[in-house]
Amino acid sequence: MNQTPSDVDLPRPKIEFPCDYPIRIVGDAADDFVASVSQVIEQHSPGFDAAGITLSESRNGRFRSARAVIRATSEEQLNALFQDLKATGRVHMVL
């Protein structure tokens, strides 16, 4: 019997902390999207510089994607950041 990728539990890649960690945040296009996202990131990554965020718009202009690099110190930090970003109600996806 052949195994498909969904049948196999692949190990998660090992991240060595601390490290620079890129994140991508997708949400509704709004003028204050970057400010909202930056505020949450700053809570979890003190010293974060919002000037390093790059933005892209969806083809129809309905969604906005923000890319940032944070200084990650632990898996717990990343999980809390992702959870708090999603809890804003403005973020649809964090990658």
Side-chain angles (χ1 to χ4, degrees):
M1 179 168 153
N2 292 334
Q3 289 184 332
T4 63
S6 62
D7 295 333
V8 179
D9 287 328
L10 298 175
R12 293 176 63 180
K14 178 85 170 131
I15 301 172
E16 292 188 29
F17 297 101
C19 65
D20 289 338
Y21 191 85
I23 59 173
R24 183 172 177 205
I25 304 143
V26 179
D28 293 323
D31 292 336
D32 63 343
F33 178 71
V34 173
S36 175
V37 166
S38 295
Q39 183 179 18
V40 174
I41 294 173
E42 176 65 34
Q43 292 172 2
H44 294 278
S45 183
F48 171 73
D49 183 10
I53 293 178
T54 58
L55 294 174
S56 14
E57 304 286 331
S58 64
R59 191 175 324 166
N60 64 8
R62 185 172 169 209
F63 299 103
R64 182 171 284 168
S65 170
R67 293 176 192 219
V69 177
I70 66 162
R71 188 69 179 162
T73 57
S74 69
E75 181 114 13
E76 293 79 18
Q77 174 205 27
L78 293 175
N79 289 339
L81 171 62
F82 287 17
Q83 187 174 34
D84 285 353
L85 284 167
K86 291 177 189 174
T88 64
R90 306 187 62 198
V91 173
H92 297 285
M93 189 178 348
V94 181
L95 307 168

